[in-house]
Amino acid sequence: MRATAVLCTSALALTACASTPGQPGGQATNQNDCAVIAAVAKGHYRFGPENVPPPLWLFSEDASWKPRCDWSRYGVSFPTTHDPNRQHQPGDRVQWVQFQKPVYDGRGATIEAGILHGPLAGMGVRCRVVSGFAGWTLAGQCENTWIS
């Protein structure tokens, strides 16, 4: 108990204190998830008024993960969403930006993301995000995980 109190005094350890006990990697609130996603959207993809993102796809194998985000709070906008279960019609553009459920540890969070610009034109990344006085921000460059 005393060690936990000491850990919780560190800004980077705040995410560990919010974790669900007994679960490896911890689970954070949806608001942390939203802030982590927004950090990658702005920091890595550079989405903004001049660079409007493709439809947003939030993905997790955990079916209960359904973050409800007020994107304007984080300075980013996703005007449309991607429905992976919707059948494509002829002429539909195949585009999306996908963010998977972040995984938290004592150093911040890691999140997998990907963007598809069209059939066989996209790439995936793994990004490290840290929490500090400026909120959640990228910790360096994201690592490529796939390219098509």
Side-chain angles (χ1 to χ4, degrees):
M1 181 71 169
R2 187 181 202 178
T4 302
V6 171
L7 281 175
C8 292
T9 60
S10 166
L12 289 179
L14 286 177
T15 54
C17 298
S19 299
T20 304
Q23 292 186 345
Q27 305 294 322
T29 66
N30 283 347
Q31 292 311 307
N32 279 339
D33 292 351
C34 297
V36 167
I37 291 166
V40 174
K42 292 187 311 183
H44 177 72
Y45 291 114
R46 308 272 189 234
F47 292 145
E50 302 299 317
N51 184 21
V52 177
L56 173 65
W57 180 6
L58 299 177
F59 174 81
S60 175
E61 300 207 9
D62 173 2
S64 68
W65 185 69
K66 297 187 186 325
R68 302 213 181 349
C69 304
D70 176 4
W71 296 115
S72 63
R73 176 179 175 191
Y74 305 104
V76 69
S77 172
F78 293 100
T80 58
T81 57
H82 173 75
D83 179 0
N85 298 318
R86 181 177 137 322
Q87 231 177 16
H88 291 304
Q89 303 302 315
D92 280 354
R93 294 183 79 182
V94 181
Q95 293 184 316
W96 44 255
V97 60
Q98 180 191 75
F99 295 95
Q100 296 187 20
K101 184 177 180 178
V103 176
Y104 298 87
D105 60 30
R107 297 179 298 137
T110 303
I111 185 169
E112 303 252 349
I115 191 165
L116 188 69
H117 299 286
L120 303 177
M123 67 187 308
V125 293
R126 179 178 305 113
C127 302
R128 165 63 66 183
V129 184
V130 295
S131 179
F133 292 110
W136 288 92
T137 56
L138 283 180
Q141 298 290 322
C142 297
E143 167 191 1
N144 291 340
T145 56
W146 61 267
I147 296 176
S148 73

